[in-house]
Amino acid sequence: MTIIKDIKTYQGNTIDLVLADNKDHIIQADGLTALPAVIDPHVHFRTPGMEYKEDWRTGAKAAIRGGCTTVFDMPNTKPPTITQSLLDEKKALIDRQLKEAGIPLRYKLFFGADKGHLDEIANIEKDCVGIKVFMGCSTGNLVIDDDESLHAVFSLAAKHHMLVAVHAEDEHLIRERKANYQGEWNYPVHSVIRNIDVAAKAVEKAIALTKRYGTRLYILHVSSAEEVALIKTAKQAGLPVFAETTPHHLFFDTTLYDVLAGKAVVNPPLRDPRHREHLFAAIHEKVIDTIGSDHAPHTPDEKALPYGECPSGMPGIEFMLPMLLNACSRDLLNLDEVVALTSANARHIFHMPPSDDWVLVNLGETRTVERTESKCGWSPYMGLTLKGWPVYTILKDTCYKVNN
Ligand code: DOR
Ligand code: ZN
């Protein structure tokens, strides 16, 4: 067994952890703080079909390095996860890749809502963490852009006790606005085309559907003050609405286009700086429940393509916790909020049993982001100097040393 001695928990107790592995090892961990391991409810690990961007071997390594032991993967793969049999095939591939990596990462899958396959929803209740609805197009071709299908998804999900997770951007408004900006094709115009009205319109519609059908609703990557206001009202009305933000919407804004060009293109897009304060306030007020990395890797070559061809998305899983710990060091958040955002609230929303996974962090360590485990080979956090880093990640009684 491995015994990790003298760890302080984030609540201030001192504990020893005993891991039932086949080693005979004592780790002295004074100076480290134990947090529940991160649950990342929003990743795109690209299996099947886009493994040149990421796969579960590299994705799992990036997760562990970021203190994360559980991920929920999105269905916009090739092919998309829109039938029970595609779901089963995807699971088999993932299990094989995790076995090859030697990392038994915990995972759950979202099922993709697709107009042609809504009848499949009746079969997948036990196998999925929820139904993902792209209300606007993003990477891949999953989209539900008509009201009839949206009503069908929300009503079926309620009937089968499933949660609906929405990518809330209104497809019709995106198309209309895109047509207006044809002559101004550059990366920053992305934030103008897919503006806040695009997101707010879709959030409003999704909340109205929850009100009508009682469906549990999880609003992905909330990025603006306007969405926060709508969600706050819905929560105050007692609706079963939950909200996620992302590290890139919390820590970056439209000024990143000047630094990273196409690498800053993401859906929903980066916003004006003022929204970041509103996202922090929404965390303090418990309007935002969770943080998901929306880890969406694309290769540097793809991200160098001109606007219109450059795919949306950026990797994030590895540096989400360090970014949050760094925010604690600057008094923008506290550790209780970090635990709520990164594990406790997801456990509650997605009805997950307790686990003994931990991440031991050194809150005093300052280090610069210099490399990534992600197959895409780049990170928007590269070059940032952060205070607060994972040192050990504990998954299913195995202790991974990760401060390298
Ligand atoms: O920027 C994004 N990238 N937003 C999404 O909704 C999908 C993701 C991806 O899969 O690349
Ligand atoms: Zn996503």
Side-chain angles (χ1 to χ4, degrees), residues 44 46 76 132 134 138-139 167 221 265-268 294 296 298 312-314:
H44 301 262
R46 305 301 193 204
N76 57 333
K132 166 84 178 266
F134 282 90
S138 196
T139 300
H167 178 120
H221 39 49
V265 173
V266 62
N267 295 331
D294 198 359
H298 300 285
S312 295
M314 52 178 73

Side-chain angles (χ1 to χ4, degrees), residues 131-189:
I131 301 166
K132 166 84 178 266
V133 176
F134 282 90
M135 296 174 79
C137 274
S138 196
T139 300
N141 46 19
L142 279 178
V143 69
I144 301 267
D145 57 3
D146 67 291
D147 285 352
E148 195 185 332
S149 306
L150 269 181
H151 277 261
V153 173
F154 274 74
S155 126
L156 278 166
K159 182 171 164 200
H160 295 285
H161 313 288
M162 293 193 72
L163 169 146
V164 168
V166 286
H167 178 120
E169 288 190 289
D170 185 85
E171 180 61 19
H172 298 280
L173 201 48
I174 296 171
R175 280 195 212 138
E176 195 183 306
R177 294 182 58 77
K178 214 181 222 170
N180 294 340
Y181 288 91
Q182 280 302 334
E184 300 169 47
W185 238 205
N186 51 37
Y187 301 121
V189 85

Side-chain angles (χ1 to χ4, degrees), residues 191-207:
S191 292
V192 181
I193 292 173
R194 299 175 83 119
N195 72 353
I196 285 154
D197 295 346
V198 166
K201 188 172 178 191
V203 165
E204 204 166 8
K205 190 180 262 188
I207 290 173

